């Protein structure tokens, strides 16, 4: 196999997002041999434990990040990249309902959220256009009622477009 030179990639991954599950769709644009930008759409579904009640919440965010490849080998057949950026989105609490039961109400509320993201990305090429990705991201939601920091760790596939 030969090393690759591509301008754009698309990826899909799924995994653990905080205390629940999540997924991510990304579109990357290479700026140079060692740098790229990424536009990502992230979705999470989880439950927040409030006393004896479990409160469902979910979020959908978009992020824009800049990445630098820190290490690569075998002509970029395996690469480790680190990136950071900004995010904005919406956090839905208890499907928009304020009351969980007739005696328990939700302390948090559905609202727009914003913050930052830091991501580590391992890319392992498996064919000319496909690679396996392992990602971990730490999200900082500056105004979330359910915790400022949330981790996402997942596995996925990345598709490479030719120049």
């Amino acid at each position: 196999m030969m090393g690759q030179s591509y301008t754009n990639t698309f990826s899909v991954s799924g995994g653990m997002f905080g205390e629940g599950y999540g997924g991510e769709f990304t579109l990357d644009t290479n700026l140079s041999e060692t740098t790229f930008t990424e536009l990502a759409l992230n979705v999470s579904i989880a439950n927040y434990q409030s006393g004896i009640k479990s409160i469902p919440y979910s979020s959908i965010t978009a992020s824009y990040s800049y990445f630098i490849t820190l290490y690569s080998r075998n002509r970029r057949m395996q690469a480790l990249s680190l990136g950071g950026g900004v995010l904005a989105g919406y956090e839905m609490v208890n499907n928009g309902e304020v009351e969980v039961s007739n005696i328990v109400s939700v302390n948090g509320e559905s609202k727009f959220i914003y913050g930052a993201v830091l991501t580590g990305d391992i890319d392992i090429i498996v064919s000319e256009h496909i690679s396996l990705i392992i990602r971990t991201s730490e999200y900082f939601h500056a105004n979330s009622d359910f915790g400022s920091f949330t981790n996402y760790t997942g596995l996925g596939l990345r598709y490479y477009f030719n120049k």
Side-chain angles (χ1 to χ4, degrees), residues 52-55 94 97-106:
I52 60 169
K53 279 301 213 181
S54 182
I55 301 167
N94 198 33
E97 300 294 322
V98 176
E99 294 198 10
V100 177
S101 70
N102 59 354
I103 57 170
V104 178
S105 63
V106 177

Side-chain angles (χ1 to χ4, degrees), residues 13 19 61 79 88 106 125 139-140 147:
S13 67
E19 298 296 319
T61 59
V106 177
I125 304 292
Y139 293 91
F140 172 68

Side-chain angles (χ1 to χ4, degrees), residues 121-138:
D121 181 285
I122 297 174
D123 193 30
I124 303 166
I125 304 292
V126 294
S127 74
E128 183 178 352
H129 292 282
I130 303 290
S131 69
L132 173 68
I133 55 171
I134 304 167
R135 294 178 65 91
T136 187
S137 299
E138 189 67 32

Side-chain angles (χ1 to χ4, degrees), residues 18-37:
E19 298 296 319
Y21 303 97
E24 183 173 64
F25 303 95
T26 69
L27 180 62
D28 299 343
T29 301
N30 287 333
L31 303 174
S32 72
E33 190 68 28
T34 59
T35 62
F36 62 94
T37 60

Side-chain angles (χ1 to χ4, degrees), residues 1 10 12 36 42 50 58 79 88-89 95-96 101 116 125 135 151 154:
M1 267 189 222
F10 173 78
V12 169
F36 62 94
N42 308 289
S50 177
S58 60
N95 301 316
S101 70
I125 304 292
R135 294 178 65 91
N151 180 268

